[in-house]
Amino acid sequence: MISGEHKLSIFELRQRCQASSPNPQGESLVGRFSRVFSIYFTRFFIFTSLTPNQITGLSVIVFFGGLLLLLFDSQIWNIVAAIIIFFSIILDGCDGEVARYRKSGGITGTLYVEPMSHDIQYGLAFFLVGLILFKQTGESTLIVAGAGASIAKLIYRLLDARAWALKTARQTVEELRQESLNHLVNFQDQFLVRRIYYWVNKNLFSSTALFPVLLIAALLGRMELFLYFFCVGYTLFSILLFGKQIYDLTKGRL
C-alpha cells in the first residue's frame, strides 16, 4: 500500500523539495527551467532505494554519455547530445530534491559528492570534446581550447574553494549560511558591475550553461565555438576572481 507520504501531489512535492531549497533564487535560468521537469523524476526516485549521492553519480554518467554522441559527427546527433546534457542537469537537481524529501541531506553530499561530480565534468568534458573535434577536423587548436577551458574552470573552482576554506577557519557553518542568504537578499543593492558579473557567471558559465551553449553550437554547425566560448570565458573569470580575492585579502575582507 502506498503511504500518505507518497501520495503527495506534484505541487506539494515542489513545495517540499524545491521551495525549501536553501537558495532557489541563486540558480541559473537553465537550472530553474530544469526544475520544471526534475520533480517528476524525483517522484520516481523516492520510490526507489537510490540515494541522493547515487543519483548524482547517475547524472554524471548520463552527462558523459551525451558527450560521446558527438563522435557521430552529425548535426542531429549533436543536438541530441545537447538534449541529453540537459537531462543530466535535470538529474543533477533530483539528488537535492530527494534528500530534502527524505530529510537525509548531509555535508558529505553537499561539500564532497556534489562539487566533486562537477569537478570531474569540468576536468574531462572540454578536453574530451576537444579530442573528438580534433579527430573530426584535424585542428589541433581545438585540443588546446578544450584543455584551456578545463584548466581555467578548475582553477576558478580551486580559488573559490580556497577562499571558502579561509572563511570556514573563521566562521561557523551557520554563520556562513546566514552570510550567503544575506548576500542574496542584498544582491540588488550591490554595484551594477558586480550584479552583471554574478549574473553572467551564473547563467553563462555554470554547469547548466553547457546545455544552451552546446545546443546553439550544434544548431549553427559550429561545434568549435563551444570550446572557444568556455576557454575564453573561464580564463577571464578565473583572472577576475583571483584579482578580487587579492584585493579582498589586502583589505582584510576575506
Side-chain angles (χ1 to χ4, degrees), residues 2-27:
I2 298 177
S3 68
E5 284 288 297
H6 290 164
K7 291 180 180 178
L8 292 175
S9 67
I10 290 296
F11 175 78
E12 291 170 320
L13 281 174
R14 288 195 191 280
Q15 292 299 114
R16 180 165 175 171
C17 303
Q18 295 181 344
S20 61
S21 172
N23 188 10
Q25 291 82 15
E27 287 192 289

mmCIF file of all heavy atoms in Angstrom, residues 2-27:
data_model
loop_
_atom_site.group_PDB
_atom_site.id
_atom_site.type_symbol
_atom_site.label_atom_id
_atom_site.label_comp_id
_atom_site.label_asym_id
_atom_site.label_seq_id
_atom_site.Cartn_x
_atom_site.Cartn_y
_atom_site.Cartn_z
ATOM 1 N N ILE A 2 0.482 2.231 -0.761
ATOM 2 C CA ILE A 2 1.243 3.466 -0.828
ATOM 3 C C ILE A 2 0.875 4.343 0.365
ATOM 4 O O ILE A 2 -0.301 4.622 0.608
ATOM 5 C CB ILE A 2 0.949 4.235 -2.132
ATOM 6 C CG1 ILE A 2 1.364 3.378 -3.324
ATOM 7 C CG2 ILE A 2 1.707 5.542 -2.165
ATOM 8 C CD1 ILE A 2 1.053 4.007 -4.652
ATOM 9 N N SER A 3 1.861 4.768 1.100
ATOM 10 C CA SER A 3 1.626 5.579 2.287
ATOM 11 C C SER A 3 1.179 6.979 1.889
ATOM 12 O O SER A 3 1.334 7.409 0.752
ATOM 13 C CB SER A 3 2.903 5.670 3.131
ATOM 14 O OG SER A 3 3.882 6.413 2.445
ATOM 15 N N GLY A 4 0.638 7.709 2.887
ATOM 16 C CA GLY A 4 0.201 9.079 2.641
ATOM 17 C C GLY A 4 1.335 9.957 2.188
ATOM 18 O O GLY A 4 1.146 10.894 1.412
ATOM 19 N N GLU A 5 2.565 9.653 2.649
ATOM 20 C CA GLU A 5 3.725 10.442 2.270
ATOM 21 C C GLU A 5 3.926 10.383 0.764
ATOM 22 O O GLU A 5 4.334 11.357 0.140
ATOM 23 C CB GLU A 5 4.971 9.908 2.982
ATOM 24 C CG GLU A 5 5.079 10.286 4.445
ATOM 25 C CD GLU A 5 5.401 11.754 4.616
ATOM 26 O OE1 GLU A 5 6.477 12.188 4.179
ATOM 27 O OE2 GLU A 5 4.552 12.475 5.167
ATOM 28 N N HIS A 6 3.648 9.205 0.172
ATOM 29 C CA HIS A 6 3.909 9.012 -1.248
ATOM 30 C C HIS A 6 2.733 9.444 -2.125
ATOM 31 O O HIS A 6 2.793 9.323 -3.337
ATOM 32 C CB HIS A 6 4.244 7.536 -1.513
ATOM 33 C CG HIS A 6 5.576 7.140 -0.955
ATOM 34 N ND1 HIS A 6 5.943 5.821 -0.788
ATOM 35 C CD2 HIS A 6 6.611 7.884 -0.515
ATOM 36 C CE1 HIS A 6 7.157 5.765 -0.261
ATOM 37 N NE2 HIS A 6 7.573 7.003 -0.084
ATOM 38 N N LYS A 7 1.671 9.930 -1.508
ATOM 39 C CA LYS A 7 0.531 10.405 -2.271
ATOM 40 C C LYS A 7 0.591 11.905 -2.514
ATOM 41 O O LYS A 7 -0.373 12.491 -2.997
ATOM 42 C CB LYS A 7 -0.771 10.051 -1.529
ATOM 43 C CG LYS A 7 -1.077 8.559 -1.495
ATOM 44 C CD LYS A 7 -2.380 8.304 -0.753
ATOM 45 C CE LYS A 7 -2.701 6.814 -0.713
ATOM 46 N NZ LYS A 7 -3.947 6.543 0.050
ATOM 47 N N LEU A 8 1.693 12.525 -2.161
ATOM 48 C CA LEU A 8 1.838 13.959 -2.353
ATOM 49 C C LEU A 8 1.702 14.313 -3.834
ATOM 50 O O LEU A 8 2.234 13.620 -4.702
ATOM 51 C CB LEU A 8 3.192 14.440 -1.836
ATOM 52 C CG LEU A 8 3.403 14.389 -0.318
ATOM 53 C CD1 LEU A 8 4.841 14.786 0.019
ATOM 54 C CD2 LEU A 8 2.428 15.309 0.393
ATOM 55 N N SER A 9 0.992 15.390 -4.112
ATOM 56 C CA SER A 9 0.850 15.862 -5.488
ATOM 57 C C SER A 9 2.148 16.505 -5.944
ATOM 58 O O SER A 9 3.044 16.774 -5.132
ATOM 59 C CB SER A 9 -0.292 16.874 -5.579
ATOM 60 O OG SER A 9 0.055 18.065 -4.867
ATOM 61 N N ILE A 10 2.229 16.775 -7.247
ATOM 62 C CA ILE A 10 3.416 17.444 -7.780
ATOM 63 C C ILE A 10 3.586 18.815 -7.134
ATOM 64 O O ILE A 10 4.701 19.218 -6.780
ATOM 65 C CB ILE A 10 3.310 17.584 -9.315
ATOM 66 C CG1 ILE A 10 3.442 16.209 -9.981
ATOM 67 C CG2 ILE A 10 4.385 18.536 -9.844
ATOM 68 C CD1 ILE A 10 4.808 15.547 -9.769
ATOM 69 N N PHE A 11 2.473 19.520 -6.936
ATOM 70 C CA PHE A 11 2.549 20.825 -6.285
ATOM 71 C C PHE A 11 3.106 20.697 -4.867
ATOM 72 O O PHE A 11 3.967 21.485 -4.448
ATOM 73 C CB PHE A 11 1.162 21.469 -6.243
ATOM 74 C CG PHE A 11 1.123 22.766 -5.474
ATOM 75 C CD1 PHE A 11 1.589 23.946 -6.046
ATOM 76 C CD2 PHE A 11 0.645 22.794 -4.166
ATOM 77 C CE1 PHE A 11 1.575 25.133 -5.331
ATOM 78 C CE2 PHE A 11 0.629 23.986 -3.443
ATOM 79 C CZ PHE A 11 1.086 25.153 -4.033
ATOM 80 N N GLU A 12 2.618 19.712 -4.127
ATOM 81 C CA GLU A 12 3.099 19.505 -2.760
ATOM 82 C C GLU A 12 4.570 19.096 -2.744
ATOM 83 O O GLU A 12 5.330 19.514 -1.873
ATOM 84 C CB GLU A 12 2.241 18.456 -2.059
ATOM 85 C CG GLU A 12 0.827 18.920 -1.780
ATOM 86 C CD GLU A 12 -0.076 17.790 -1.300
ATOM 87 O OE1 GLU A 12 0.034 16.659 -1.850
ATOM 88 O OE2 GLU A 12 -0.890 18.032 -0.393
ATOM 89 N N LEU A 13 4.954 18.289 -3.721
ATOM 90 C CA LEU A 13 6.357 17.891 -3.817
ATOM 91 C C LEU A 13 7.242 19.094 -4.136
ATOM 92 O O LEU A 13 8.362 19.198 -3.620
ATOM 93 C CB LEU A 13 6.531 16.812 -4.892
ATOM 94 C CG LEU A 13 6.143 15.388 -4.503
ATOM 95 C CD1 LEU A 13 6.236 14.466 -5.708
ATOM 96 C CD2 LEU A 13 7.039 14.869 -3.377
ATOM 97 N N ARG A 14 6.744 19.990 -4.986
ATOM 98 C CA ARG A 14 7.532 21.191 -5.303
ATOM 99 C C ARG A 14 7.729 22.028 -4.036
ATOM 100 O O ARG A 14 8.811 22.557 -3.790
ATOM 101 C CB ARG A 14 6.816 22.032 -6.371
ATOM 102 C CG ARG A 14 6.832 21.423 -7.759
ATOM 103 C CD ARG A 14 6.453 22.446 -8.813
ATOM 104 N NE ARG A 14 6.217 21.825 -10.105
ATOM 105 C CZ ARG A 14 7.172 21.466 -10.953
ATOM 106 N NH1 ARG A 14 8.423 21.672 -10.627
ATOM 107 N NH2 ARG A 14 6.874 20.909 -12.120
ATOM 108 N N GLN A 15 6.680 22.144 -3.234
ATOM 109 C CA GLN A 15 6.790 22.914 -2.004
ATOM 110 C C GLN A 15 7.774 22.264 -1.038
ATOM 111 O O GLN A 15 8.545 22.941 -0.363
ATOM 112 C CB GLN A 15 5.415 23.038 -1.336
ATOM 113 C CG GLN A 15 4.423 23.886 -2.111
ATOM 114 C CD GLN A 15 4.911 25.323 -2.278
ATOM 115 O OE1 GLN A 15 5.187 25.764 -3.381
ATOM 116 N NE2 GLN A 15 5.035 26.037 -1.179
ATOM 117 N N ARG A 16 7.753 20.972 -0.996
ATOM 118 C CA ARG A 16 8.588 20.242 -0.040
ATOM 119 C C ARG A 16 10.025 20.089 -0.517
ATOM 120 O O ARG A 16 10.962 20.158 0.284
ATOM 121 C CB ARG A 16 7.981 18.865 0.216
ATOM 122 C CG ARG A 16 8.763 18.004 1.204
ATOM 123 C CD ARG A 16 7.910 16.854 1.652
ATOM 124 N NE ARG A 16 8.647 15.933 2.501
ATOM 125 C CZ ARG A 16 8.100 14.926 3.177
ATOM 126 N NH1 ARG A 16 6.803 14.738 3.107
ATOM 127 N NH2 ARG A 16 8.834 14.124 3.912
ATOM 128 N N CYS A 17 10.200 19.881 -1.807
ATOM 129 C CA CYS A 17 11.527 19.544 -2.320
ATOM 130 C C CYS A 17 12.239 20.691 -3.031
ATOM 131 O O CYS A 17 13.468 20.669 -3.149
ATOM 132 C CB CYS A 17 11.436 18.359 -3.292
ATOM 133 S SG CYS A 17 10.695 16.889 -2.588
ATOM 134 N N GLN A 18 11.479 21.667 -3.540
ATOM 135 C CA GLN A 18 12.096 22.753 -4.297
ATOM 136 C C GLN A 18 12.027 24.084 -3.567
ATOM 137 O O GLN A 18 13.032 24.778 -3.435
ATOM 138 C CB GLN A 18 11.437 22.876 -5.676
ATOM 139 C CG GLN A 18 11.676 21.665 -6.562
ATOM 140 C CD GLN A 18 11.036 21.806 -7.939
ATOM 141 O OE1 GLN A 18 10.168 22.656 -8.171
ATOM 142 N NE2 GLN A 18 11.451 20.970 -8.875
ATOM 143 N N ALA A 19 10.850 24.436 -3.066
ATOM 144 C CA ALA A 19 10.709 25.726 -2.387
ATOM 145 C C ALA A 19 11.516 25.766 -1.101
ATOM 146 O O ALA A 19 11.884 26.846 -0.624
ATOM 147 C CB ALA A 19 9.236 26.008 -2.092
ATOM 148 N N SER A 20 11.806 24.583 -0.530
ATOM 149 C CA SER A 20 12.560 24.524 0.723
ATOM 150 C C SER A 20 14.063 24.531 0.493
ATOM 151 O O SER A 20 14.838 24.439 1.442
ATOM 152 C CB SER A 20 12.188 23.257 1.502
ATOM 153 O OG SER A 20 12.505 22.091 0.747
ATOM 154 N N SER A 21 14.488 24.648 -0.764
ATOM 155 C CA SER A 21 15.916 24.716 -1.065
ATOM 156 C C SER A 21 16.527 25.937 -0.388
ATOM 157 O O SER A 21 15.896 27.000 -0.331
ATOM 158 C CB SER A 21 16.126 24.815 -2.576
ATOM 159 O OG SER A 21 17.480 25.064 -2.874
ATOM 160 N N PRO A 22 17.770 25.815 0.136
ATOM 161 C CA PRO A 22 18.393 26.941 0.833
ATOM 162 C C PRO A 22 18.551 28.193 -0.030
ATOM 163 O O PRO A 22 18.537 29.296 0.478
ATOM 164 C CB PRO A 22 19.773 26.379 1.228
ATOM 165 C CG PRO A 22 19.592 24.911 1.253
ATOM 166 C CD PRO A 22 18.597 24.620 0.173
ATOM 167 N N ASN A 23 18.696 28.000 -1.351
ATOM 168 C CA ASN A 23 18.966 29.158 -2.202
ATOM 169 C C ASN A 23 18.361 28.977 -3.585
ATOM 170 O O ASN A 23 19.074 28.939 -4.581
ATOM 171 C CB ASN A 23 20.480 29.368 -2.304
ATOM 172 C CG ASN A 23 20.842 30.655 -3.018
ATOM 173 O OD1 ASN A 23 19.998 31.490 -3.275
ATOM 174 N ND2 ASN A 23 22.105 30.810 -3.342
ATOM 175 N N PRO A 24 17.029 28.842 -3.695
ATOM 176 C CA PRO A 24 16.419 28.608 -5.014
ATOM 177 C C PRO A 24 16.611 29.761 -5.978
ATOM 178 O O PRO A 24 16.694 29.568 -7.187
ATOM 179 C CB PRO A 24 14.941 28.380 -4.671
ATOM 180 C CG PRO A 24 14.730 29.071 -3.360
ATOM 181 C CD PRO A 24 16.034 28.925 -2.623
ATOM 182 N N GLN A 25 16.679 31.008 -5.451
ATOM 183 C CA GLN A 25 16.843 32.159 -6.327
ATOM 184 C C GLN A 25 18.259 32.257 -6.883
ATOM 185 O O GLN A 25 18.506 33.017 -7.821
ATOM 186 C CB GLN A 25 16.507 33.455 -5.570
ATOM 187 C CG GLN A 25 15.033 33.618 -5.215
ATOM 188 C CD GLN A 25 14.661 32.844 -3.958
ATOM 189 O OE1 GLN A 25 15.538 32.418 -3.213
ATOM 190 N NE2 GLN A 25 13.381 32.664 -3.725
ATOM 191 N N GLY A 26 19.178 31.513 -6.300
ATOM 192 C CA GLY A 26 20.562 31.583 -6.748
ATOM 193 C C GLY A 26 20.864 30.708 -7.947
ATOM 194 O O GLY A 26 21.987 30.708 -8.445
ATOM 195 N N GLU A 27 19.870 29.974 -8.425
ATOM 196 C CA GLU A 27 20.088 29.088 -9.559
ATOM 197 C C GLU A 27 20.106 29.869 -10.870
ATOM 198 O O GLU A 27 19.515 30.946 -10.980
ATOM 199 C CB GLU A 27 18.995 28.018 -9.621
ATOM 200 C CG GLU A 27 19.114 26.950 -8.570
ATOM 201 C CD GLU A 27 18.196 25.773 -8.867
ATOM 202 O OE1 GLU A 27 16.975 25.938 -8.729
ATOM 203 O OE2 GLU A 27 18.698 24.702 -9.248
#
